Amino acid sequence: HLFNGREGQQGSRARLERDMGEYWGALSSKSITEAELHEKAKANSKIQPHVLGFIAARDKAQYVLDLFDRYVVHNADFPPCADVSFLLRQTLSSGGKVLLEGPQSYFLSNAAEKFWDSGTSANTDAAGMLCAARVNIGSPSLSPLAINIHKTPGSSRVGSGANPCALVPQHYFAATDSTKEDFEAMQIDWRDVCVQYFGSIGANGLLRPGAFTNHTGTYDLGVAMAAASCVHPSHREFGVTSGRP
C-alpha cells in the first residue's frame, strides 16, 4: 500500500513491480515496444505528461512513488487526511449542518445501469449518499433535505451508457464525429430552435419527431437543440478534448 512501508515483499515498491506484469504482458501481446508506445501516446492529445513520463521511466515503480511523494506526501496544498465519517458525526452532534454533494448523476450509478461498465459509482442518488455518509439518518435530531438539480431541456452524461432523456442518442455525436466547430458552423439561433422544440411536445409529454431548418441546412430537431445548447454563450458545455456535448 502506498501509505505503508516502501521496501520488502509487501512494501509498495514490490507491489507496484508485481502489478507491472499486466503492463509488460499487454506490450508483449500487442507486439509493441515501449519506444513505439511512447510515440503513439505522444501523438494523442488526451495522454497526460505524467503518463508519457511513466512510459519513458526506466524504474517505473520509483517513478510512481516519486510522483506520489511530490504531489501528495510533500504537497502543502494537498488536503489533509482525516476520518470523514467521524467529522460528519461530530458536526451533526454539535448541531452543525453538513452538505453532501453527489459526485455523479443517477444514470452513472451501478445501482441504475444494466451493465456494470457503464456505471462509475456505487449509488449516486440521495439515499445512496446518506448511506455512504455513515450517519444515523433515522435519528429524530436529523432533518435531511434532498436537492435535485436537473438539466433542461435535455440531460447529458459523461461517457457511454444509458441516458433516456437526452436530446440525442448517447453515441450520436461520436458516431458522426461531430464537434463544436461543426455546431458553430450550423449557425443555429438557440431561441428559434427552442420555440420549435418546445412547440413539438405533445399533450402526453412526448416530443413529436421533426426537423429544424435554417440558411445552413436541415437538421433533426433533437440534433439542432443539442448543437445550439452546446455552443450557446451561457452554456459552452462540451468535452475539452473531444469537443462534443
Side-chain angles (χ1 to χ4, degrees), residues 8 44 79 96 98 101 116 127 140-141 148 168 213 234 242:
N44 188 333
V98 172
E101 181 183 0
W116 67 269
S141 63
N148 180 54
V168 295
T213 301
S234 67
S242 70

Side-chain angles (χ1 to χ4, degrees), residues 33-236:
T33 66
E34 278 201 293
E36 293 171 327
L37 175 64
H38 190 272
E39 288 302 310
K40 288 180 178 291
K42 190 167 61 173
N44 188 333
S45 61
K46 295 184 179 181
I47 304 300
Q48 298 298 308
H50 69 275
V51 178
L52 296 175
F54 174 83
I55 298 172
R58 294 180 63 86
D59 188 341
K60 301 189 185 303
Q62 190 60 50
Y63 176 81
V64 173
L65 292 172
D66 287 345
L67 280 180
F68 181 70
D69 285 340
R70 186 186 316 150
Y71 292 105
V72 179
V73 178
H74 304 303
N75 185 354
D77 295 327
F78 194 84
C81 296
D83 186 336
V84 177
S85 295
F86 171 76
L87 291 177
L88 288 175
R89 292 193 297 270
Q90 185 181 54
T91 302
L92 293 171
S93 63
S94 63
K97 296 181 180 180
V98 172
L99 173 65
L100 303 176
E101 181 183 0
Q104 304 286 357
S105 296
Y106 180 74
F107 281 102
L108 291 182
S109 169
N110 290 329
E113 292 282 11
K114 293 182 178 179
F115 303 101
W116 67 269
D117 58 350
S118 292
T120 60
S121 299
N123 194 332
T124 58
D125 59 21
M129 284 186 287
L130 286 170
C131 290
R134 300 172 67 184
V135 296
N136 182 13
I137 60 176
S139 172
S141 63
L142 298 184
S143 301
L145 171 67
I147 301 175
N148 180 54
I149 300 175
H150 186 78
K151 190 182 303 177
T152 185
S155 297
S156 63
R157 62 165 287 161
V158 176
S160 60
N163 188 9
C165 49
L167 294 166
V168 295
Q170 178 65 19
H171 299 288
Y172 179 82
F173 290 120
T176 57
D177 195 26
S178 304
T179 65
K180 64 182 179 67
E181 284 75 19
D182 299 307
F183 306 150
E184 289 168 343
M186 292 161 70
Q187 299 180 31
I188 297 175
D189 185 280
W190 188 78
R191 293 189 179 278
D192 287 346
V193 70
C194 273
V195 169
Q196 183 177 340
Y197 184 91
F198 288 106
S200 299
I201 298 177
N204 60 358
L206 299 180
L207 179 71
R208 291 189 298 273
F212 176 83
T213 301
N214 69 357
H215 67 282
T216 65
T218 298
Y219 313 98
D220 173 82
L221 186 55
V223 171
M225 191 71 204
S229 299
C230 173
V231 297
H232 189 279
S234 67
H235 298 173
R236 303 296 292 176

